[in-house]
Each structure stands twice: as C-alpha cells, then as structure tokens.
Amino acid sequence: KTMTFASSLNCLLITLLIPIVATFLTILTPSSLQKGAQLHDKSHILYKTNGLWVVVLGTVFYLFGGSVLELYSLSYLAEHWTELLMVNVAFNTTLTALLVWVKPAISPEPKESTSTHYDQWYMQFWCGTELNPHIAGFELKFFWYRCGFILWSMLNISFWAQQMNMYHSTSVPMLLYQFVSYFYIVDAFWHEIGMAFMFDIIEENFGFMLVWGDYCWIPFVFSLPAMFCVDKFEYSLLQVVAFLVGFSVGF
C-alpha cells in the first residue's frame, strides 16, 4: 500500500511497542534464573529464562487485539511490510548508536565484560563496544532475541490473515510453514538457556550486527516464506509427506 505519514507513524509505534511489551512480560511472567557461560573475568550472568512466556503471550496479545477487540487488521503488517522494514532499520540504527556511544559514557560496563576493543568508529558501530550491556540491571543482549521472535510471529500471522482476506481459505503450504515456524519458536525457547552459550552471546559485543540481526534479520527474513505462500498454491499428498519427512530429518 502507499506509504503515508500516518502509516509510517503506525510502523514506528509497532516497532517501539514490541520491546516495551516484551520488557513488561519479561519482568512480570514466571521465570527461573539460570547461569550463563563463564565470562572473561570468571563471573557468570544469571538469565531470566521466561522467553517462551514472553513470545507466546506477545503473540496472543497481538491476535486478541486484532481478531477479538478488532483494534487493527491482522493483515496490516503484511500490507505495510516494506515500510515496516524501513522504519525497523532506522530504529535499529539509532538504538545501536545509543548503545555503542551514549550508554557506555553514562553507565559503562566493567572492562572485563568487553570482548574486543575497536578504535575505528565504523567497527565500534558494527561490532559494538560492550559484551553484555545492562540498563538498570536489565541484560539487553539475551533479551533482544525475544523482540525479534515476537515480530516474526506477528508477521507470520499477518501474512496468514492476508491470504485469508484474499482467498477466504488457507493453503496447505501456508499451514505447513506456520507449523514448522511455531515448532521452531517453541523449541528455541523451551531450551532457552542454550542461547546463553551461543557464540554471539559469549564472545561478540552488542553492536549493529546483533541489534539489527535479532530485531530485523530474524523477523523479516524468516517470514519471507509466509509472504511467498500468500499467493495461493497447493501441495500434493506426496509433496506434503516429503516436506514433513524432510523437516523431521533436518530438524
């Protein structure tokens, strides 16, 4: 659809609301504290592993607001995908600048918590200046995955709604994609503490590469199959079986 000031403002509001909602859900939902990998100073960060609650409830709130309260069209994100992407990139760029240069000047992390120091401004921006930045005791890097997964889930639902609006039915490929997507999401957060031992959490500073990667690359790239499935086509029974077998073996 045509880009307008109002639609751009809506996209910005959506982009801002997701981290806000995820923050409140992270604070308020049940959780256990689990120890992450050992840092360079021999310490460990304790992570709140309630990401499954956060992503599931964030998705439910989105569904409830669109389908029950009818506050918005569930297909809105799909219809404004490009505009939402542009706003998201601008937001992540601004946030990265704040995290890389402003936040360390106001509230620096211990030197031991920085993986690698870069002198060039562009390397600082891309790779970050702090390994595990905190704001008011709130650990950001582990948390940021949740925002990306919520937006991915919302985009999946939006493309599904768009197909329903166009054809008044759902195709088998769309159903299969939704199934494998949510299986992946649930599995990822069911074993959430495993994320704390991934290379980007242990060794990479929190710069644009991860800020943008978590909140832009994950939702917008991972939802492309749903966009492809909107234009309705069908699978034969043999194709469905082959798809499920391939997914089972590959996963």
Side-chain angles (χ1 to χ4, degrees), residues 1-241:
K1 289 190 175 183
T2 304
M3 184 184 302
T4 65
F5 176 78
S7 61
S8 296
L9 198 61
N10 287 337
C11 289
L12 177 60
L13 182 62
I14 293 164
T15 303
L16 293 173
L17 273 177
I18 291 172
I20 293 172
V21 171
T23 298
F24 279 105
L25 290 175
T26 297
I27 294 171
L28 297 175
T29 55
S31 67
S32 61
L33 292 175
Q34 297 194 45
K35 186 185 295 185
Q38 181 174 288
L39 302 177
H40 297 289
D41 62 355
K42 309 302 181 184
S43 66
H44 297 264
I45 293 178
L46 293 177
Y47 294 101
K48 293 188 69 173
T49 52
N50 56 350
L52 187 59
W53 279 103
V54 173
V55 175
V56 169
L57 287 177
T59 302
V60 169
F61 290 163
Y62 173 66
L63 275 170
F64 185 79
S67 60
V68 178
L69 300 181
E70 298 183 350
L71 298 175
Y72 43 78
S73 169
L74 288 176
S75 63
Y76 186 88
L77 301 184
E79 294 164 356
H80 295 270
W81 186 90
T82 303
E83 189 173 2
L84 184 64
L85 172 61
M86 294 170 62
V87 170
N88 186 282
V89 170
F91 169 77
N92 282 306
T93 302
T94 304
L95 179 62
T96 300
L98 294 174
L99 290 175
V100 168
W101 293 305
V102 178
K103 187 268 176 189
I106 298 174
S107 177
E109 299 292 323
K111 290 183 179 180
E112 292 82 0
S113 70
T114 298
S115 177
T116 306
H117 175 74
Y118 300 96
D119 294 322
Q120 303 90 343
W121 68 268
Y122 52 88
M123 290 299 295
Q124 292 176 356
F125 179 81
W126 181 260
C127 297
T129 54
E130 294 182 329
L131 180 65
N132 298 110
H134 291 70
I135 294 180
F138 198 79
E139 200 280 329
L140 294 179
K141 189 161 65 169
F142 189 75
F143 161 80
W144 203 237
Y145 281 106
R146 302 174 180 192
C147 303
F149 274 83
I150 290 174
L151 181 53
W152 175 26
S153 179
M154 291 167 60
L155 285 168
N156 283 353
I157 292 169
S158 190
F159 284 120
W160 192 353
Q162 187 179 42
Q163 185 182 71
M164 289 293 294
N165 292 343
M166 292 171 59
Y167 300 102
H168 306 290
S169 62
T170 303
S171 66
V172 171
M174 179 66 83
L175 287 174
L176 288 172
Y177 171 73
Q178 298 291 341
F179 165 72
V180 299
S181 295
Y182 287 106
F183 186 96
Y184 178 88
I185 291 171
V186 170
D187 178 75
F189 285 98
W190 190 268
H191 305 97
E192 185 180 18
I193 190 58
M195 295 183 186
F197 293 86
M198 296 192 304
F199 183 81
D200 51 352
I201 296 291
I202 299 172
E203 290 293 338
E204 294 180 333
N205 293 341
F206 196 45
F208 184 77
M209 181 174 62
L210 293 181
V211 174
W212 174 83
D214 291 347
Y215 198 35
C216 188
W217 176 269
I218 287 176
F220 287 95
V221 174
F222 287 20
S223 64
L224 286 177
M227 179 190 290
F228 176 76
C229 289
V230 169
D231 291 327
K232 198 172 181 183
F233 62 95
E234 292 296 350
Y235 283 163
S236 66
L237 179 60
L238 181 60
Q239 288 174 312
V240 172
V241 172

